């Protein structure tokens, strides 16, 4: 009989309960993990809280440090979330030579490189598939299955809340506020959705994905970030008229020796695979030298899907542990990436203005673009009496030049308002 | 210094040349594989053939048996294709205790279970990511990343040729013959496309995928199969009118203790994720108890993408070999599946008839459906003078009942022609 491997489960929230439930199907799991697994300790913040029998009381503890250090714990599974005490517990576990499975986006995005190096030194696994895209397989396919392809870019819709809002605005003509309220009603947005709306959630996930794709240590702070708060129904309508959807994209791309990493709303051609990704769905589009585009799509959030990813990692770790090959997943040490400054990033821009509607105005605006060497690809203009809406899409231009254009337009007397400016992602 | 692992490459066709080229990037590959890899022997059928310097002559051999047995070969990579001599060489290699990477769809679909058991007994890896979907990561994500989810169904568009033809017919109104010729011109269809058109290619890939998803030994002969030859522009038009696309689908599903496995053209709701997959693209849609739908999309054919998948497998095998954990990828032994007979499969049906256009005809047709307990969900009828087109979509019905309906309709005097019958895949 193969000895059961013991798990210390840190956290019994939504994800933790689903992990507990999935591991309860002992026979199936044992078959896949090469032998039985047993949850021996569960760490919760408040021992007194009523958990409605989610797990037996005698397994509960409120001391992560003690559980992680306990000699009878083989694998540490962290699903508490947040930087601390989760980070402390994971460092303790790795230092004690115990493999760790975590779904902690925030921690991996800020300290992934350091934790992976610690795991490497201790010769143990650190797996984090659940930290991005919940149940959509991303980290392992990108690190392992695509290891034979030379990856150039990962472009993702990594946040379900903002994608739901933008989809409902575009499809049903709902306002931003109305679509957000609907997302909250359906449970796709949290009570405080700030981190989703301002792109912080996507930026953290992008840091994790890009680090895996390019074998670098990219941190969330390296990611340029802009949220969807300024996108209006008018922008969505003009974008569609020009053949584009608007999505909150997370983009990481190698350009020579540098890495571009940015999260912002972007116009995306309607025939781009990501333009079809609707509502709360997430998707990641991978470009490489050797393959055509590969796209992974699915629901990117939720307790059960995240737990399934965590259990997949647990199975992997358990098999490595039985085979005595902890730390198998690492190969070359990641490099520190040279981040391309946002001012040097080159892409087309959508610029929406309100102009005084009289002769010569258009020429003055066009002159500003020309003088800054930003060339115009398409224009939509609509007179509304006193004023006219004018929407420009530029050709590829360095961000620096576009910023100068925007600056100069703002001070032109014929420009009544610089309504919005949104980047365009045209590479399919 | 880590010793280089030696590869015996069987085959130097399109895939083989790309494998040779990709492994030439020694430094990157060594970083990922945990040490250098070296192609030491290449087996070709004809030593005299001019290969334009694709590989050094001194590496070439025409004796697969000798190369596979050679003591200085650590890993065997088979990209010849076909049942033999590829199968013989792979059996020899596994029996000699050498891990094998193959992209051989035909062989894995007919003998995958036997070969995997042989690898298991020898304690070595047998990897075959390139055998399905070329560079789209499928086998490993399904077997490993999704090991924590309880998979229920895999539904794929696994053949680029037929998807290209059906897309061009639907989008541009081209005839079947015209779209096929275009596919051949663009290199998406072979000179003899029979195995693509009649569903044999998809059935082989489905056998491999379903075996991985459900941990069973499903063979290509277990898969029910029907090709796209009978699909007409009229079917595509009526389907669209009813809210459906038509795709050649490969479907495997667990139903209780049984497995359904079938390849056939199917009506698919236009909002189904696979309905959007156009032209030569492939996609696999995975359903499970624990996740929402997960979809993998990409180009499913081509020398470079297949080679990238092969190299991903080589990297995996090399790391396991260095760690001394050959055969790591296996866990529970696969079961022999109970295949659900096609007559018992339950799904809706699209049935297109030409009827004599006079009073009472419709009632006689509807009576046949009613008497066989096949209930009708929607009807389109269009008079064309003497005759009328009538298109029915049924509710869920057992195939057996629908076959009886079709049989009886054929013998009704008011039915001028049973134009077509196509299954409907309504589960999203």
């Amino acid at each position: 009989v193969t000895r059961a491997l013991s798990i210390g489960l840190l956290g019994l929230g939504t994800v933790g309960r689903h992990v507990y439930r999935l591991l309860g199907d002992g026979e199936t799991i044992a078959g896949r993990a090469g032998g039985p697994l047993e949850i021996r300790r569960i760490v919760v913040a408040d021992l007194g809280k009523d958990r409605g029998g989610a797990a037996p009381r005698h397994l509960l503890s409120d001391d992560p440090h003690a559980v992680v250090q306990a000699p009878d714990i083989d694998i540490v599974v962290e699903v508490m979330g947040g930087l601390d005490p989760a980070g402390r517990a994971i460092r303790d576990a790795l230092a004690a030579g115990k493999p760790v499975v975590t779904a902690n986006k925030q921690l991996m995005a800020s300290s992934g490189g350091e934790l992976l190096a610690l795991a490497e030194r201790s010769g143990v696994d650190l797996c984090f598939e659940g930290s991005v895209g919940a149940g959509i397989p991303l980290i392992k396919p990108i690190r392992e299955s695509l290891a034979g392809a030379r990856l150039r870019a990962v472009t993702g819709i990594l946040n379900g809340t903002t994608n739901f809002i933008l989809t409902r605005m575009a499809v049903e003509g709902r306002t931003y506020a109305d679509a957000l309220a609907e997302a909250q009603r359906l449970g796709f947005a949290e009570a405080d959705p700030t981190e989703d709306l301002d792109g912080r959630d996507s930026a953290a996930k992008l840091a994790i994905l890009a680090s895996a794709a390019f074998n670098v240590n990219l941190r969330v702070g390296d990611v340029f970030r802009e949220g969807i708060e300024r996108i209006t129904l008018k922008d969505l309508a003009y974008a569609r008229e020009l053949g584009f959807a608007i999505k909150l994209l997370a983009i990481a791309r190698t350009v020579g020796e540098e890495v571009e990493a940015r999260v912002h709303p972007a116009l995306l051609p309607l025939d781009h695979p990501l333009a079809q990704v609707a509502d709360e769905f997430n998707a990641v589009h991978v470009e490489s030298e050797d393959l055509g585009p590969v796209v992974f799509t699915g629901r990117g959030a939720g307790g059960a899907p995240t737990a399934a990813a965590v259990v997949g990692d647990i199975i992997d770790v358990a098999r490595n542990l039985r085979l005595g090959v902890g730390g198998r997943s690492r190969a070359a040490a990641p490099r520190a990436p040279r981040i391309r400054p946002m001012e040097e990033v080159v892409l087309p821009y959508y610029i929406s203005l309100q102009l005084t509607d009289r002769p010569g105005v258009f020429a003055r605006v066009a002159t500003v673009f020309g003088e800054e060497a930003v060339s115009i690809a398409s224009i939509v203009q609509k007179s509304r009496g006193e004023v006219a809406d004018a929407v420009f899409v530029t050709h590829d231009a360095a961000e620096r030049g576009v910023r100068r254009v925007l600056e100069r337009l703002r001070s032109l007397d014929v420009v009544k308002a610089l309504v919005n400016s949104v980047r365009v992602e045209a590479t399919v």
Side-chain angles (χ1 to χ4, degrees), chain A:
Chain A
V1 179
T2 318
R3 179 178 84 83
L5 291 174
S6 296
I7 292 172
L9 180 65
L10 312 185
L12 195 60
T14 321
V15 178
R17 282 163 197 241
H18 282 288
V19 169
Y20 186 81
R21 179 180 59 77
L22 286 172
L23 289 181
D25 182 4
E27 202 179 324
T28 306
I29 298 288
R32 293 185 174 165
L37 296 175
E38 182 196 343
I39 294 186
R40 186 153 308 170
R41 303 297 278 164
I42 301 175
V43 174
V44 295
D46 176 6
L47 281 175
K49 188 170 157 189
D50 179 16
R51 295 169 201 284
R57 288 192 78 89
H58 72 273
L59 296 182
L60 302 186
S61 157
D62 60 0
D63 184 352
H65 188 71
V67 167
V68 157
Q69 302 278 351
D72 62 346
I73 295 295
D74 301 304
I75 300 171
V76 171
V77 176
E78 186 276 308
V79 288
M80 300 189 277
L83 291 180
D84 266 307
R88 171 77 194 282
I90 290 177
R91 286 182 184 87
D92 285 353
L94 295 173
K98 297 186 183 183
V100 172
V101 172
T102 177
N104 196 321
K105 168 196 69 193
Q106 220 185 332
L107 186 65
M108 289 306 297
S110 62
S111 315
E114 172 220 327
L115 296 175
L116 283 164
L118 180 53
E120 175 82 352
R121 281 199 300 279
S122 298
V124 296
D125 289 317
L126 168 59
C127 296
F128 48 97
E129 185 66 68
S131 67
V132 183
I136 311 171
L138 290 171
I139 303 295
K140 195 167 160 153
I142 284 175
R143 283 168 67 110
E144 301 186 13
S145 304
L146 296 177
R150 290 160 298 176
L151 302 190
R152 267 196 313 236
V154 288
T155 305
I157 293 174
L158 300 178
N159 180 271
T161 308
T162 47
N163 203 46
F164 182 89
I165 292 172
L166 291 174
T167 305
R168 292 298 108 200
M169 287 172 74
V171 174
E172 298 174 350
R174 284 171 188 255
T175 62
Y176 179 81
D178 188 18
L180 170 56
E182 174 75 359
Q184 286 172 318
R185 203 180 58 74
L186 292 171
F188 298 141
E190 303 189 51
D192 176 3
T194 320
E195 293 205 6
D196 297 314
L197 301 178
D198 70 9
R200 261 180 292 168
D201 175 76
S202 296
K205 292 169 178 167
L206 182 66
I208 299 171
L209 269 187
S211 295
F214 308 133
N215 197 33
V216 294
N217 278 331
L218 192 95
R219 295 159 62 109
V220 58
D222 298 325
V223 179
F224 172 85
R225 179 173 61 75
E226 211 178 273
I228 65 161
E229 302 91 338
R230 293 183 303 118
I231 302 299
T232 64
L233 285 172
K234 217 176 204 180
D235 294 322
L236 287 160
Y238 278 126
R240 173 160 285 268
E241 200 169 327
L242 290 157
F244 295 95
I246 299 183
K247 298 287 187 183
L248 181 66
L249 293 187
I251 301 160
R253 181 181 296 280
T254 56
V255 184
E257 294 299 301
E258 294 182 325
V259 175
E260 246 179 64
R262 46 195 168 92
V263 168
H264 53 72
L267 275 72
L268 199 62
L270 287 168
D271 61 354
H272 190 287
L274 295 182
Q276 311 289 342
V277 176
D279 291 333
E280 79 277 16
F281 277 79
N282 286 16
V284 174
H285 176 272
V286 181
E287 292 164 62
S288 65
E289 301 290 328
D290 303 295
L291 308 173
V294 173
V295 184
F296 304 84
T297 313
R299 284 211 174 80
T306 305
V310 167
V311 171
D313 277 349
I314 293 173
I315 290 170
D316 236 18
V317 165
R319 289 160 80 180
N320 286 343
L321 211 54
R322 291 194 197 280
L323 292 163
V325 289
R328 175 186 176 283
S329 54
R330 301 297 301 289
R335 5 175 228 105
R338 190 131 57 83
I339 305 295
R340 194 173 182 82
M342 196 60 201
E343 293 75 28
E344 292 174 23
V345 168
V346 172
L347 37 67
Y349 243 92
Y350 155 102
I351 295 169
S352 159
L353 306 173
Q354 256 185 10
L355 302 176
T356 314
D357 198 1
R358 51 183 166 76
V361 165
F362 217 77
R364 289 187 58 196
V365 169
T367 302
V368 171
F369 281 88
E371 286 177 359
E372 299 296 347
V374 173
S375 117
I376 296 169
S378 50
I379 300 173
V380 177
Q381 193 179 7
K382 288 197 180 157
S383 181
R384 310 198 173 276
E386 296 275 292
V387 296
D389 285 357
V391 169
F392 301 80
V393 175
T394 75
H395 283 295
D396 266 346
E399 174 99 4
R400 179 178 287 124
V402 175
R403 288 188 187 172
R404 276 198 304 262
V405 167
L406 295 175
E407 196 59 36
R408 286 183 57 185
L409 289 176
R410 255 188 214 101
S411 62
L412 271 193
D413 58 349
V414 297
V415 174
K416 306 290 286 184
L418 201 167
V419 182
N420 214 344
S421 60
V422 186
R423 295 170 188 86
V424 179
E425 193 62 26
T427 322
V428 177

